[in-house]
Amino acid sequence: AHARWHVLLGNLHPVAVHFPIALILCAFLCELGAIFTTRSVFSDAARVMIVLGAVTGIGAALLGWFAAEHVNYPAELMRFLWWHRAFGIATVVLGTAAAMASEVSRRPTAASAWRAAYRLLLLAAAIVVSITGYLGGTLVYGPDHFAW
């Protein structure tokens, strides 16, 4: 019964990963909107999205660990699984750090460096989640899935 739950949870990974990917990337786009327009609606939206992206990223990563227990990739894809896992962990760390920095930067007594740190962490999270998603696509569709 234990293994059946792990398989079920692992099978939910492909569904769950789309939320943090979209939320982190949209948080980054909204923060760019805040930078270029100075409208608070963009920074408020980014704040909500990065927090939700961090939380759903943790869940997606946990489901990914269950998924990895039951995969049987050819040897050539196993290195992609390793990198996908490493970048997935980095996504969770960066997304969570960005969410925390966002919250700290909004305190009235916060130094302006917190806003810069938040934006750099958000940029890094957006880049790393993109790489993680690409590597996940490689596991599903093969190493040449972007070949023209």
Side-chain angles (χ1 to χ4, degrees):
H2 174 72
R4 291 176 68 195
W5 277 103
H6 284 206
V7 171
L8 173 63
L9 291 171
N11 287 340
L12 294 173
H13 177 69
V15 175
V17 298
H18 295 90
F19 291 104
I21 292 169
L23 288 164
I24 292 169
L25 293 175
C26 287
F28 175 70
L29 291 175
C30 282
E31 194 59 34
L32 284 178
I35 291 168
F36 289 113
T37 68
T38 67
R39 295 187 60 204
S40 64
V41 66
F42 289 116
S43 61
D44 292 343
R47 177 186 191 185
V48 171
M49 286 185 221
I50 193 55
V51 170
L52 290 175
V55 171
T56 59
I58 292 167
L62 290 172
L63 294 173
W65 282 93
F66 288 113
E69 287 181 5
H70 304 285
V71 295
N72 209 3
Y73 292 119
E76 72 176 61
L77 288 181
M78 289 308 289
R79 72 171 195 247
F80 289 103
L81 176 61
W82 189 93
W83 283 108
H84 177 64
R85 181 178 282 177
F87 276 92
I89 293 166
T91 297
V92 169
V93 170
L94 290 167
T96 302
M100 292 169 65
S102 171
E103 293 306 306
V104 172
S105 73
R106 293 170 184 280
R107 293 181 182 163
T109 59
S112 61
W114 277 106
R115 176 59 61 135
Y118 158 62
R119 288 176 170 166
L120 284 172
L121 287 164
L122 185 56
L123 170 63
I127 291 168
V128 171
V129 78
S130 298
I131 295 168
T132 306
Y134 173 80
L135 293 167
T138 300
L139 293 171
V140 173
Y141 301 111
D144 297 324
H145 69 285
F146 271 138
W148 291 56

